[in-house]
Amino acid sequence: MRKKINKQLSIVEPQIHHEHSEELAVIDDLLCEWPEAVQLVYEDLIRGLKDPDKGREGEMSAMQVLKALIVKQQNQFSYKDLQFHLMDSRTYRSFCEFGFADMVPSKTVLHRDISKISAETLEAINRILLQHAASGGQEKGRRIRMDCSVTESNIHAPTDSSLLSDSVRVLCRITQKAKESYGIEVSDHTRRAKKRAMGILNAKNEKKRLPLYKDLLRLTAKVVHDSEGVLAKLKVLPSESVFSLAGLCAELNQYIPLVKRVIDQTERRVLKGEKLSPNEKLVSIFEPHTDIIRKDNRDTLYGHKLAFTCGESGLITDLIVWKGNPADAAMATKLVERQTEIYGRVPRQVAYDGGFASKANLAEMKSMGVKDIMFSKRRGMEISDMTKSTWVYKRLRNFRAGIEGMISFLKRCFGLRRCNWKGFESFQAYAWSSVLSANFLLLSRKLMT
């Protein structure tokens, strides 16, 4: 049975007199005022349960899970580090409502519960936070600034040979488990694949590289064929060890289609000399959702493009995690529409980076009721068409620069440079957890002044 909040707290140590402890105390007060936020987390935690009111009591309440997430993201802790600091820190134990006699959950339990919180729930809690900030006068959403950045997936820079080598290694690892558990005869080709990949990496020219690629492709195709045979044999086995058997089948069903894609794209790129578009390329079999983002024709990043909206207070009022690499100009009006949805009115002034600039966007946002619109690069547009004066344009241009600092703050202090959670849904949740934790910290500091 899962709890929303702890009905009866154990004896907890009193708060210490320190700035960070005082910030956490303000965050605690805010969460206690927002039972609807805790209810959202509770609904995520019980999702999939047939009867949430029956069974063993959960080790953490919904309030504790949300607070543990905030502590984790504010400090960029791993789950192992989070467990240690919850055990060791008097402040964090008190904030997360663990008393003297309470056992801190294991890192596995922390991971299991925190990962259940969805991106939609975190976004909804952020909107509750923004409503509170609007009612208190900290952020009214009348003047906003927008920009985009990239958060990387937790993968290495891909090459065709490394993808093939990874494919062989993963499939052989799974099939060897089937061999150990069920006696299915299958060979392990990991060492040979690694040697071919290293040979490709160190080859001095295309003439020496091409035969190695052909051999590695033949080897990978053989491993796929062997894996399909193992999968067919696993499916007809009696389900005595149902959990391990189902797990092996699920892994093979997951990876075999991805490895076939890797083989196909390598043959097209290396053997046939085709140029594939970024949307056609698979850059990781572990994070297949990863996009290829070309930034300013300089850097190539592997992750997802994030669009941020920030208010005068520094609070992040909105976040969108995009699939693919859409042009900034295609996002401009959608970001304003989302701000209108959040605050119930159109923002009065909007400041954009130059990549969002277009005459069509200017005309559409003016028709929506936005008074002043600033693009840092005018692209043939007159200042008088965007804002009511040059002075307003310059003020908005200076105002827009502040979002660069906020994005840097999120990347440096809240782990948004790279997402180490697996899967696209978890990627979205990770991005929102960083934004929400930052907003809690900023709002608590404003309430303390």
Side-chain angles (χ1 to χ4, degrees):
M1 181 175 66
R2 176 73 65 175
K3 296 181 290 182
K4 296 180 188 177
I5 59 173
N6 288 336
K7 294 182 180 179
Q8 179 64 49
L9 291 181
S10 304
I11 298 176
V12 297
E13 294 180 283
Q15 177 186 336
I16 63 173
H17 296 291
H18 187 274
E19 182 180 356
H20 184 47
S21 178
E22 292 168 1
E23 291 166 352
L24 293 174
V26 173
I27 295 173
D28 180 63
D29 291 339
L30 290 173
L31 290 174
C32 289
E33 294 176 15
W34 304 340
E36 63 272 30
V38 180
Q39 176 65 28
L40 290 169
V41 176
Y42 176 74
E43 289 172 2
D44 278 348
L45 293 174
I46 64 172
R47 191 193 307 121
L49 299 179
K50 292 182 179 178
D51 191 344
D53 296 326
K54 293 183 179 179
R56 187 171 64 88
E57 191 174 275
E59 295 185 52
M60 297 175 70
S61 66
M63 177 71 88
Q64 286 178 309
V65 174
L66 179 56
K67 288 181 175 181
L69 172 63
I70 293 170
V71 170
K72 180 184 185 301
Q73 291 304 106
Q74 285 189 357
N75 296 278
Q76 302 181 57
F77 288 151
S78 65
Y79 287 106
K80 184 177 181 180
D81 291 339
L82 177 61
Q83 181 196 19
F84 169 76
H85 286 283
L86 288 177
M87 294 171 65
D88 184 66
S89 170
R90 169 178 165 182
T91 297
Y92 289 147
R93 284 183 69 89
S94 177
F95 175 66
C96 293
E97 303 179 2
F98 292 110
F100 286 112
D102 293 338
M103 290 292 293
V104 172
S106 67
K107 63 180 182 180
T108 305
V109 172
L110 290 167
H111 175 227
R112 181 198 67 197
D113 287 350
I114 289 175
S115 63
K116 287 181 179 179
I117 306 178
S118 66
E120 292 76 16
T121 292
L122 295 168
E123 181 180 358
I125 295 173
N126 191 64
R127 293 196 177 189
I128 295 170
L129 183 149
L130 293 175
Q131 290 172 5
H132 186 278
S135 63
Q138 288 84 26
E139 176 56 67
K140 294 186 177 295
R142 298 297 286 162
R143 183 164 66 153
I144 58 174
R145 44 198 166 182
M146 301 171 183
D147 203 358
C148 292
S149 187
V150 177
T151 294
E152 295 183 287
S153 298
N154 193 27
I155 65 172
H156 60 74
T159 62
D160 291 308
S161 58
S162 68
L163 283 170
L164 289 170
S165 180
D166 286 343
S167 299
V168 172
R169 174 172 57 84
V170 170
L171 288 180
C172 286
R173 182 192 67 203
I174 300 169
T175 54
Q176 289 304 302
K177 286 182 182 177
K179 181 179 180 179
E180 293 171 6
S181 301
Y182 303 102
I184 299 173
E185 285 301 322
V186 62
S187 299
D188 186 352
H189 300 285
T190 305
R191 288 185 63 188
R192 180 178 167 188
K194 186 175 181 181
K195 285 181 180 180
R196 295 298 177 270
M198 290 301 297
I200 291 169
L201 181 64
N202 296 318
K204 294 181 179 180
N205 53 53
E206 190 67 25
K207 185 177 180 180
K208 293 183 178 179
R209 191 177 297 116
L210 196 58
L212 296 172
Y213 258 120
K214 289 180 178 179
D215 187 57
L216 183 54
L217 281 165
R218 284 194 296 268
L219 179 62
T220 309
K222 182 181 187 314
V223 170
V224 169
H225 181 267
D226 292 346
S227 300
E228 289 176 330
V230 170
L231 179 59
K233 292 176 182 178
L234 288 174
K235 287 181 177 178
V236 298
L237 286 176
S239 55
E240 296 174 357
S241 304
V242 63
F243 294 111
S244 60
L245 183 62
L248 290 172
C249 290
E251 284 190 289
L252 288 172
N253 281 320
Q254 175 188 350
Y255 285 112
I256 288 174
L258 294 173
V259 176
K260 287 181 177 179
R261 280 186 61 187
V262 172
I263 294 172
D264 177 66
Q265 73 180 25
T266 305
E267 288 176 343
R268 292 171 64 188
R269 280 168 46 84
V270 177
L271 303 185
K272 299 177 182 179
E274 293 184 28
K275 289 186 177 180
L276 306 184
S277 66
N279 293 335
E280 293 180 275
K281 295 178 184 177
L282 179 69
V283 295
S284 173
I285 61 171
F286 307 108
E287 300 290 349
H289 60 87
T290 301
D291 293 321
I292 302 172
I293 311 293
R294 184 73 172 168
K295 189 175 180 182
D296 299 331
N297 294 321
R298 299 191 314 266
D299 301 323
T300 302
L301 302 174
Y302 304 97
H304 290 289
K305 192 171 190 175
L306 276 61
F308 297 91
T309 305
C310 180
E312 292 183 80
S313 62
L315 294 173
I316 302 296
T317 59
D318 196 19
L319 168 71
I320 301 178
V321 182
W322 296 92
K323 278 192 173 182
N325 186 17
D328 290 357
M331 310 176 192
T333 55
K334 181 175 179 61
L335 295 175
V336 173
E337 289 170 356
R338 285 174 63 92
Q339 286 301 293
T340 305
E341 179 186 340
I342 291 169
Y343 286 100
R345 50 173 164 68
V346 177
R348 185 170 54 85
Q349 294 180 319
V350 180
Y352 287 103
D353 189 16
F356 292 88
S358 78
K359 291 182 180 180
N361 284 337
L362 176 62
E364 187 170 355
M365 283 185 283
K366 285 288 187 179
S367 67
M368 292 168 64
V370 182
K371 299 297 182 184
D372 297 308
I373 302 162
M374 191 286 303
F375 299 112
S376 60
K377 294 179 182 177
R378 290 186 279 167
R379 302 188 186 278
M381 292 176 281
E382 297 295 330
I383 290 178
S384 58
D385 294 332
M386 292 188 280
T387 60
K388 60 185 177 183
S389 69
T390 302
W391 181 83
V392 172
Y393 179 85
K394 289 181 178 178
R395 288 292 298 270
L396 286 175
R397 185 180 60 191
N398 295 338
F399 169 68
R400 190 214 67 84
I403 195 171
E404 304 281 359
M406 284 307 304
I407 293 174
S408 176
F409 178 55
L410 288 168
K411 290 190 173 184
R412 288 181 292 106
C413 303
F414 294 89
L416 204 53
R417 189 180 306 278
R418 173 180 287 255
C419 170
N420 54 15
W421 292 6
K422 191 173 179 64
F424 182 65
E425 291 183 356
S426 295
F427 190 105
Q428 292 176 295
Y430 182 90
W432 267 112
S433 64
S434 296
V435 166
L436 182 61
S437 300
N439 280 349
F440 267 120
L441 183 63
L442 291 172
L443 182 59
S444 68
R445 289 176 176 175
K446 290 182 180 298
L447 294 174
M448 287 167 59
T449 56

